[in-house]
Structures are given as structure tokens and as C-alpha cells.
Amino acid sequence: MLHDVLWSSNLDLVQSSLAHPFVRALGDGTLSADLFRDYVAQDAFFLRAFAEVYGLARSRSEDPQIAACFSGLMDGVRQELKLHQVYAAELGIDLERVTPNGACLAYTEFLVRTARQGSLAETVAALVPCMSLYAFLGRQLRPGCGPQHPYRKWIETYSSGEFAELASRLESVLDRVGADCREVRAAYRHALQCELDFFSASNGR
């Protein structure tokens, strides 16, 4: 499957994300509340753009089944945003007044630009890494998540079967519309690099 080939070809970035100080601190619960607060705000901004790109991809899908799949994935983003709204209420974040940092803006602009100027295959290849990586990170962090873990809701969300199903659904779309070519590989790898940059920016670097 194409999504397996691309994942295997980019394991260096996957492992760098797992080993990132931000992700490690999130996983063991030592991440500062201020850094997590800023991350939630940035991620909410990102997710709104992600939903927009799903909409653009849906509008370009000639296959009704794939278009319906994008509609379902957009619903999944709305569920993610509900988690962010819970955190926003707890942490005093105004999600309507978030100013994106450089890494967040670069990532969202890349996604929107790809959706508007690239092929549908490139667009899906740019979307898949976020979903696949977060499902992977959730699974990896879940064993260390006890009842008193400060970020338990986050880890449980991304380690859940529901989120894994959404990631698998998007991967299956990539397998249907994509091909193993330079443009698809470049979009996929750049998105994974954007994820790593996002974590670095969230870590105050």
C-alpha cells in the first residue's frame, strides 16, 4: 500500500517526532502548563485550516465515495476541536484570537497552497502525515498514561480506536488516488517535517 511505503520511507522524521523533547515531556506529564496552553492554541488554529483543506479536497473529488469520506473526516476534525475547546475553557484560551507562530503558519499555508495548486493526490499526501503521526504518537504514549496524568485527555484522544479509524480512512484515500511519484513523496515528507517544526515551535525553540 502506498501509505505504508511512504510511512516506511520517512521513519527518520517519525522517530524524530517521537523523540522530540516536547513530545517526550507531553508523554511523561512534565510539559509545563504554559507550553501546553500555547500548543493547544496553535493546534486549534491549525485544525481549522486542516478542515478547510478537507473541504477543498472534497470539492475536487469526482468519486462520490471519496467525497463522502472527506465529509466524515471533517466531522472528525470537529470532534478534535471539541477537545481543544475543553482545554481552552480550562486554561483560559480565547480560540478566536490566536496568532499563529511561524511554524504553524508555514504548515497551514503549505496545506492550503497544495490543495489549491497541487493535484488531489498531492493534497491527500500532505494531509495523511498529521493523522498517521498523531495516531502513532498516541499509541506510543498511552502505556505511560496513568489516572493522574495531566494530559490524559490528549493521549486518550489520539490513542483511541476512533482516531485510528479516521487515520486509516484517510490513508485508504491516499492509496486510491495517489501514486508513488516524486510530487507525492515530496508533499508527504514536507508535511512530516512541518509536524516536527510545529513541535519545536511549541517547545519554545
Side-chain angles (χ1 to χ4, degrees):
M1 294 291 188
L2 178 59
H3 77 270
D4 287 323
V5 171
L6 294 174
W7 179 262
S8 298
S9 300
N10 291 281
L11 282 178
D12 58 325
L13 294 178
V14 172
Q15 292 301 326
S16 292
S17 292
L18 180 61
H20 195 282
F22 178 86
V23 175
R24 290 205 313 268
L26 179 63
D28 63 25
T30 61
L31 184 70
S32 77
D34 285 343
L35 286 181
F36 186 70
R37 181 182 185 278
D38 289 344
Y39 163 79
V40 168
Q42 295 297 314
D43 201 42
F45 182 95
F46 169 81
L47 285 172
R48 288 173 175 169
F50 204 73
E52 177 189 351
V53 175
Y54 272 149
L56 291 169
R58 181 181 62 183
S59 70
R60 298 180 61 185
S61 303
E62 298 179 359
D63 186 324
Q65 288 185 332
I66 292 177
C69 185
F70 281 122
S71 294
L73 289 163
M74 289 171 70
D75 288 338
V77 175
R78 295 187 189 101
Q79 292 301 313
E80 276 189 80
L81 280 168
K82 287 182 179 179
L83 172 67
H84 289 65
Q85 289 162 0
V86 169
Y87 275 128
E90 293 176 355
L91 301 172
I93 305 169
D94 184 351
L95 294 180
E96 301 304 319
R97 299 173 64 88
V98 176
T99 299
N101 62 34
C104 181
L105 193 60
Y107 197 175
T108 55
E109 287 180 345
F110 159 67
L111 290 175
V112 172
R113 182 174 63 252
T114 302
R116 289 178 176 166
Q117 300 176 7
S119 66
L120 180 60
E122 290 173 74
T123 301
V124 180
L127 289 166
V128 165
C130 176
M131 299 294 288
S132 299
L133 181 65
Y134 269 61
F136 170 78
L137 294 177
R139 291 193 302 272
Q140 294 299 308
L141 300 181
R142 185 66 182 88
C145 181
Q148 304 305 315
H149 196 291
Y151 307 118
R152 182 178 179 179
K153 288 196 295 288
W154 190 95
I155 294 173
E156 287 182 339
T157 294
Y158 293 109
S159 63
S160 68
E162 292 82 2
F163 190 82
E165 167 60 26
L166 290 171
S168 178
R169 205 180 303 174
L170 184 57
E171 290 167 347
S172 71
V173 172
L174 178 60
D175 293 338
R176 290 180 64 178
V177 306
D180 190 357
C181 62
R182 179 177 59 82
E183 293 80 8
V184 164
R185 282 182 172 263
Y188 189 101
R189 185 167 182 84
H190 187 71
L192 266 180
Q193 182 61 57
C194 286
E195 288 289 341
L196 195 56
D197 294 344
F198 195 98
F199 291 139
S200 292
S202 297
N203 206 44
R205 295 182 178 179

